[in-house]
Amino acid sequence: MSRLELLRDHDFRGLFLADTASQVGTQILTLALPLVAVATLRVSEFEVGLLAACQTLAFAVIGLPSGAIVDRLSKRVVMIVSDWARALALLSVPLAWWLGVLSVHQLYAVALVLGVFTVFFDVAYQSYLPHLVARERLVEGNSALEVVRTVAQLGGPSAGGYLVQFLTAPYALLATVAGFAWSAVCLSTIRKPEARREARRARLGKEIAEGVRFVLGHRLLRRIAGCTATSNLFWAMAQPMLLLLLSRELGLAAGTIGLMMATTGLGGLAGALVNARLVRWLGPGPAMWLAIGGPAPLTFVLPWLAADWRLGLLVVTLFCYGAGVVVYNVTQLSFRQSITPEALLGRMNATVRFLVWGTVPLGGLIGGVLGEVIGIRPTLLVAACGTCLALPWLLTGPIRAMREHPAEPAAAREAGR
């Protein structure tokens, strides 16, 4: 069954359309929300880093319990509620701007709320796909949804940049509000009922601990989590500083910044198109470490950027980074879903996301502090050095030479070996 054939399935199509709307809105948000702070409120480097930290702080605070909670509830309902909650929270920003009362503290609060419901949406979404798609079709399903994300990356930042440029940053957020609302509507059309859940008598803490033990005890999952967490930490340090460098030091317009950031999505689209063939040719293990290791040295371009030919090197870096992220994400996500029993999917995904996204607010905060103390360009150099540290997680373990995906949840018996 190809990705196009999957789209003929009514329920998968509902998830696909919901994800499309949500991803486009989110990609506009990644550029528009920081630009509200940078261009509209004129905040400092530290405040930009703190805002970036607030957007992902929830992954560290509620990342673990969210999985146990999602495993107890209807995953589709969790996603719908999360969409509406994010839409309403974000709507408060243009409203406050219109009333003349918008402050950076409100942006912090909105970012925190968005983070909380993004945690629940993402955990439920990654745990819901195996319910709609047979396990042997997980790669096709994940690839189709990854194409959505990369196309959104391709068009979202540039659209967001021009929306900010012509409508001002606060009103550009209305496009994201509409995306979250449409996502909730599409999810409401899915008809396939979820399996009936038995009443849970175990304490929440015990269920959380079970998920943590499963992930940290599994020889593949713990290395995937370590690699992703390291990469996320240092990229989170680089992102807000890169935005400040392009906007303030180089004086680029919001639309131009958006177009340049869109090359990440273009690279992601290329990665999505070759991902299946690459995995068949090299095997999932080599495909993963090449996807991480290939773009990492290119990040050393960032500290030396200027408003000249070197911006072309930034475009190449973002393109390769986007391609590598897609190949890595599709492969490792299919790994995780295929080796995890259904009853543990929510807790496994929540534990992994806690580990890999919990480093993002820390990275944003560290980046903001370093930006104030040593400057934007030295901070980007530190981030480039750190990005290369993600590769040893894959090269020093069994993933390095794996030629096939783990095939079934029975592989969970390998935990603790």
Side-chain angles (χ1 to χ4, degrees):
M1 183 183 292
S2 68
R3 284 172 286 192
L4 291 178
E5 289 173 325
L6 273 177
L7 290 174
R8 295 173 186 169
D9 180 87
H10 174 273
D11 291 334
F12 179 78
R13 189 167 63 248
L15 179 63
F16 181 86
L17 292 174
D19 188 51
T20 300
S22 181
Q23 289 291 346
V24 170
T26 299
Q27 289 303 319
I28 293 174
L29 178 64
T30 58
L31 186 64
L33 191 61
L35 284 178
V36 172
V38 172
T40 305
L41 298 181
R42 302 289 179 181
V43 299
S44 68
E45 286 86 350
F46 174 75
E47 288 171 319
V48 173
L50 183 58
L51 179 62
C54 288
Q55 287 181 276
T56 50
L57 182 63
F59 286 98
V61 177
I62 64 166
L64 291 177
S66 68
I69 294 170
V70 166
D71 277 340
R72 295 183 177 198
L73 301 173
S74 164
K75 296 175 178 62
R76 185 172 70 99
V77 171
V78 169
M79 289 188 286
I80 292 172
V81 171
S82 298
D83 272 334
W84 284 119
R86 290 186 292 179
L88 291 173
L90 201 55
L91 185 61
S92 71
V93 175
L95 181 60
W97 174 250
W98 181 65
L99 294 173
V101 295
L102 181 64
S103 69
V104 69
H105 299 96
Q106 181 180 343
L107 293 184
Y108 295 154
V110 169
L112 288 169
V113 172
L114 290 173
V116 168
F117 287 100
T118 296
V119 168
F120 279 103
F121 183 93
D122 287 354
V123 170
Y125 151 75
Q126 291 189 353
S127 306
Y128 191 57
L129 183 62
H131 165 71
L132 295 181
V133 177
R135 286 183 183 265
E136 61 269 19
R137 302 300 181 191
L138 284 174
V139 172
E140 288 93 337
N142 283 318
S143 294
L145 296 174
E146 193 67 19
V147 168
V148 168
R149 188 182 73 83
T150 56
V151 171
Q153 274 191 332
L154 179 60
S158 56
Y162 282 110
L163 284 171
V164 168
Q165 194 166 319
F166 294 114
L167 299 180
T168 70
Y171 293 134
L173 297 178
L174 291 174
T176 300
V177 173
F180 288 144
W182 180 247
S183 174
V185 171
C186 292
L187 288 169
S188 300
T189 67
I190 296 176
R191 296 190 292 251
K192 186 176 182 180
E194 294 183 53
R196 192 170 182 178
R197 293 164 183 75
E198 297 180 4
R200 296 281 182 93
R201 292 187 174 87
R203 289 187 176 183
L204 191 64
K206 183 178 180 181
E207 292 185 347
I208 294 171
E210 186 179 1
V212 173
R213 283 196 302 270
F214 176 71
V215 171
L216 296 183
H218 199 288
R219 62 175 185 164
L220 303 179
L221 292 178
R222 65 173 173 259
R223 287 189 175 274
I224 288 172
C227 174
T228 314
T230 303
S231 179
N232 284 353
L233 171 69
F234 290 101
W235 188 248
M237 288 175 56
Q239 266 191 317
M241 295 303 104
L242 178 60
L243 181 62
L244 281 170
L245 178 65
L246 296 175
S247 177
R248 285 190 179 169
E249 290 199 13
L250 304 188
L252 300 183
T256 303
I257 295 173
L259 282 174
M260 299 188 71
M261 293 301 182
T263 57
T264 304
L266 186 60
L269 182 59
L273 293 175
V274 304
N275 175 72
R277 296 176 193 170
L278 192 64
V279 171
R280 283 196 300 268
W281 179 40
L282 298 174
M288 277 199 289
W289 67 257
L290 283 171
I292 285 290
L298 296 176
T299 57
F300 284 95
V301 167
L302 303 182
W304 318 113
L305 290 176
D308 54 22
W309 59 270
R310 280 169 281 188
L311 291 179
L313 297 180
L314 173 62
V315 170
V316 173
T317 299
L318 294 176
F319 180 91
C320 294
Y321 176 80
V325 164
V326 168
V327 173
Y328 176 78
N329 279 347
V330 171
T331 309
Q332 63 89 14
L333 180 55
S334 300
F335 252 80
R336 294 196 277 121
Q337 291 170 334
S338 65
I339 62 180
T340 304
E342 187 169 355
L344 274 168
L345 276 170
R347 281 166 285 172
M348 179 277 293
N349 284 318
T351 301
V352 171
R353 292 189 75 80
F354 168 76
L355 295 172
V356 306
W357 285 100
T359 61
V360 173
L362 179 61
L365 193 59
I366 292 174
V369 171
L370 288 178
E372 289 274 358
V373 175
I374 65 176
I376 293 174
R377 293 179 185 273
T379 301
L380 288 171
L381 181 59
V382 172
C385 293
T387 300
C388 297
L389 298 177
L391 190 57
W393 285 98
L394 302 182
L395 290 181
T396 58
I399 292 176
R400 180 185 70 254
M402 289 188 72
R403 305 286 297 181
E404 296 180 358
H405 274 292
E408 67 279 322
R413 288 195 293 268
E414 293 183 358
R417 290 185 184 176

